Amino acid sequence: MNYLQHSINTKKTSMHEQSFFDFVSQQSGKILEQTVAHIGLTFISLFIAIIIGLPLGILISRKKKLAGTVLSIAGVLQTIPSIALLGVMIPLLGIGVKPAITALFLYALLPIIRNTYTGIIGVDGDIIEAARGMGMSSGQILLKVELPLAMPVIFAGIRTATVINVGVATLAAYIAAGGLGEFIFGGISLNNTNMILAGAIPAALLAIVLDFLLSRVQKIRLRKLRLAYISFPFIILLLSSFYLLPNVDGKLLAGFTPEFMGRVDGYLGLKEKYHLNIRTVVISDAVMYKAAYEKKLDVISGYSTDGRLKAFDLINLVDDKNIFPPYYAAPIVRKEVLEKYPELEGVLNMLAGRINDSIMTELNYKADYLKQSPEQIAKDFLVSQGLWKAPRNGNKGTITIGSKIFAEQYILAEMYGMIIKGYTDLNVMAKTGLGGTKICFDALTNKAIDLYPEYTGTGLLVLLQPDNQTVNNIITNKDKVYNFVSNNFRRKFNIVWLKPIGFNNSYSLMMRRNEAEKLHITSITNLKHYIDSK
């Protein structure tokens, strides 16, 4: 995944200083690779949709009583939000190509079925009667009269389906199916406009070009339509085969989140310090752990206190070269908010030191595997600690709490909301699930939120980005890291780090326990040696 290696610079130069054209030049090979994969995904699903949708359209043009039912079902499928449809596909088909192609196929069905039906029933009845008078059978009338005359309408449906699939295919990256969505989701997680545009612009251009080419086919004269009949399926098959081009060499496959791919305390650090050369796919945190459990992925990036470690019997690989710094969680708050509401600091610090690694892992397990709500988990914990109080329903002011987009952050945000409402006359508004670090931090500095839980290692390497010497001097000492980020956040951003909650939720590489034991892999260095030996 070379395209993310330039997304974060560990020196003082900001990644936003890099121009879009520089980024595209550096990542041209990856952009081409993902564009080819995107075309393949689009046309595999389109080919299947044509094979099924065209006969269905013909069928309901003959049996009109079925038309309403078939078109209604296809219409309902298209109204399902694309991300929800992918979510429904994952339990049935796992992650990767299968659910992505299935979802795209379902989206493409309606315009193909509807336009085939509309085109055929729109053929002039006198022409059909004339064909019967010439002795043509029903099959001959369909192939030689109705379909040729309906073809412009049918192609209009195919054009619509193609454009829809190009757009929806960007979501395939969320479930490790590749495509231009890898750039888009990576850019959103890292707040990198260049990366977002590197995925969005080729996707938009692809939709425009394909729509234009199909419009030219749609206008072919009737005499030349026979050649189009013969060549069009082969062209779609050829374009579909693009997805098969990426090389699969049989080595271990890693699935990393978009943010991990672009962080110096993530994949960039693994490449630099371990020289780790493993096949990777970008995948959402929501499905990554289950994908490892189901043997779709061999290695994943995760969090050391994640409850899914226990649920899916995964193990953390030892970071024997210390690329992952201490990640002690603490609330970070805008200084002006604490000055306006001084009682807030003491209340938020009530959680300090109360949640260790094992407790946080158990809380995350309840959310990730037992599917308990973050609100209930937070309340139960506060009750167990003697900290829960009924809300005062005060109207002194409103504190807006943000969070990143994983269970632990939701739970912590709920805890802070409850103790603020129970111990002060302040009200609380939640803006949770804001995405990755950069989005949450920008929301804080832009005053869209007042506080959110952050991690000392993230503050050090992602947000402050000091020089290598400074990092090496403090990275193994949790107190030095905390003091450094606390002092520099206050000085640079007017943001205050309150007391740490107590647990260290570091990044980690994870494997299935049985596979790691079978391959004798206990550390990241072991993993590198195994990969290099293959």
Side-chain angles (χ1 to χ4, degrees):
M1 287 293 170
N2 295 327
Y3 74 97
L4 277 162
Q5 292 182 9
H6 300 278
S7 59
I8 291 182
N9 191 330
T10 57
K11 299 180 181 179
K12 296 295 182 180
T13 303
S14 169
M15 66 181 174
H16 296 290
E17 294 175 6
Q18 184 184 43
S19 74
F20 172 69
F21 296 104
D22 288 339
F23 183 88
V24 170
S25 176
Q26 291 168 347
Q27 306 302 327
S28 57
K30 190 65 187 178
I31 292 172
L32 177 61
E33 178 186 329
Q34 295 300 349
T35 301
V36 168
H38 204 94
I39 292 171
L41 278 172
T42 299
F43 280 95
I44 290 172
S45 55
L46 184 65
F47 181 70
I48 299 171
I50 291 172
I51 289 176
I52 294 175
L54 196 61
L56 272 176
I58 294 170
L59 173 66
I60 62 177
S61 72
R62 295 295 187 263
K63 300 182 181 295
K64 292 184 174 61
K65 289 183 179 180
L66 295 175
T69 302
V70 172
L71 291 173
S72 295
I73 293 172
V76 168
L77 290 172
Q78 198 173 62
T79 61
I80 300 173
S82 48
I83 194 68
L85 187 58
L86 286 171
V88 171
M89 293 293 109
I90 290 169
L92 302 175
L93 301 172
I95 67 161
V97 179
K98 290 180 182 178
I101 289 175
T102 303
L104 291 171
F105 147 70
L106 292 175
Y107 270 103
L109 269 181
L110 177 61
I112 293 174
I113 296 172
R114 183 178 56 202
N115 281 44
T116 301
Y117 170 73
T118 302
I120 290 175
I121 66 171
V123 174
D124 194 321
D126 292 338
I127 296 176
I128 295 174
E129 286 301 319
R132 284 202 184 99
M134 294 171 63
M136 287 188 180
S137 64
S138 297
Q140 288 174 321
I141 292 172
L142 175 66
L143 294 174
K144 295 184 177 182
V145 178
E146 291 177 304
L147 282 178
L149 292 174
M151 196 53 66
V153 179
I154 295 172
F155 260 104
I158 294 173
R159 284 174 62 188
T160 302
T162 302
V163 173
I164 289 171
N165 276 13
V166 170
V168 177
T170 56
L171 294 173
Y174 220 58
I175 55 172
L180 291 164
E182 289 196 4
F183 282 97
I184 295 172
F185 288 119
I188 291 171
S189 294
L190 298 167
N191 197 21
N192 186 331
T193 303
N194 290 339
M195 196 180 298
I196 295 171
L197 293 177
I201 291 176
L205 291 175
L206 190 60
I208 292 169
V209 170
L210 292 176
D211 184 62
F212 172 76
L213 293 176
L214 288 174
S215 73
R216 305 307 297 171
V217 175
Q218 187 179 348
K219 294 176 182 178
I220 290 176
R221 291 181 181 178
L222 205 55
R223 287 184 216 168
K224 298 180 180 178
L225 214 48
R226 184 179 297 275
L227 178 61
Y229 278 158
I230 298 170
S231 61
F232 188 67
F234 289 103
I235 292 171
I236 292 183
L237 277 173
L238 176 64
L239 293 169
S240 301
S241 69
F242 281 12
Y243 195 79
L244 304 176
L245 293 178
N247 180 45
V248 178
D249 55 16
K251 293 184 179 180
L252 298 180
L253 178 64
F256 297 150
T257 63
E259 182 168 357
F260 185 84
M261 288 294 298
R263 288 175 57 141
V264 292
D265 55 341
Y267 186 61
L268 304 185
L270 292 173
K271 295 281 286 185
E272 180 184 350
K273 285 199 173 183
Y274 286 97
H275 304 289
L276 187 67
N277 186 25
I278 187 170
R279 288 192 302 123
T280 58
V281 293
V282 174
I283 187 170
S284 165
D285 168 78
V287 297
M288 180 175 63
Y289 289 83
K290 189 173 183 182
Y293 175 73
E294 294 177 347
K295 302 183 180 180
K296 301 291 196 316
L297 298 171
D298 302 297
V299 180
I300 61 172
S301 61
Y303 308 104
S304 59
T305 60
D306 198 295
R308 288 166 291 189
L309 272 166
K310 173 182 175 181
F312 296 128
D313 197 26
L314 306 175
I315 63 165
N316 293 309
L317 300 185
V318 176
D319 172 25
D320 45 324
K321 294 189 178 180
N322 297 316
I323 70 161
F324 303 133
Y327 292 85
Y328 283 86
I332 61 174
V333 192
R334 289 191 289 113
K335 185 180 177 182
E336 64 189 87
V337 174
L338 292 178
E339 290 173 347
K340 185 176 181 180
Y341 306 113
E343 67 271 31
L344 197 59
E345 181 171 355
V347 170
L348 292 174
N349 280 333
M350 291 175 69
L351 284 183
R354 287 186 177 266
I355 304 178
N356 60 26
D357 291 5
S358 59
I359 292 174
M360 195 68 246
T361 300
E362 185 63 28
L363 297 178
N364 285 331
Y365 175 76
K366 291 178 179 180
D368 292 323
Y369 192 69
L370 300 182
K371 305 303 180 184
Q372 295 181 15
S373 71
E375 182 180 5
Q376 186 61 50
I377 295 168
K379 182 177 180 180
D380 290 346
F381 175 78
L382 294 178
V383 169
S384 72
Q385 297 289 307
L387 295 177
W388 191 84
K389 282 187 176 182
R392 292 185 184 179
N393 298 317
N395 56 7
K396 184 178 179 180
T398 299
I399 301 298
T400 305
I401 302 177
S403 83
K404 302 179 188 180
I405 194 167
F406 53 93
E408 178 173 291
Q409 289 267 315
Y410 289 109
I411 294 169
L412 294 176
E414 288 288 350
M415 287 185 187
Y416 285 124
M418 289 177 183
I419 59 176
I420 290 172
K421 288 188 286 187
Y423 287 83
T424 74
D425 292 319
L426 297 167
N427 198 2
V428 171
M429 176 186 294
K431 289 187 178 180
T432 52
L434 293 178
T437 297
K438 299 294 288 184
I439 295 175
C440 262
F441 186 70
D442 283 352
L444 186 64
T445 55
N446 292 326
K447 302 183 180 181
I449 59 175
D450 298 314
L451 67 95
Y452 78 94
E454 189 51 277
Y455 305 90
T456 53
T458 300
L460 175 70
L461 295 181
V462 176
L463 298 173
L464 291 176
Q465 301 181 23
D467 60 76
N468 289 333
Q469 183 176 352
T470 300
V471 171
N472 292 335
N473 287 339
I474 66 175
I475 197 168
T476 58
N477 187 303
K478 67 176 185 178
D479 294 324
K480 288 183 178 179
V481 171
Y482 175 80
N483 291 334
F484 184 87
V485 297
S486 178
N487 293 335
N488 281 276
F489 266 64
R490 188 183 291 265
R491 178 173 58 85
K492 289 185 175 183
F493 309 120
N494 280 324
I495 290 174
V496 179
W497 282 74
L498 300 185
K499 293 180 181 179
I501 301 167
F503 66 91
N504 176 25
N505 186 13
S506 69
Y507 263 132
S508 175
L509 291 193
M510 302 174 180
M511 294 182 67
R512 292 183 299 281
R513 183 184 303 277
N514 57 359
E515 184 176 29
E517 291 174 353
K518 178 182 176 182
L519 300 178
H520 307 291
I521 297 174
T522 59
S523 68
I524 301 176
T525 296
N526 292 157
L527 175 64
K528 180 219 174 343
H529 290 159
Y530 176 81
I531 292 169
D532 291 346
S533 69
K534 294 298 177 179

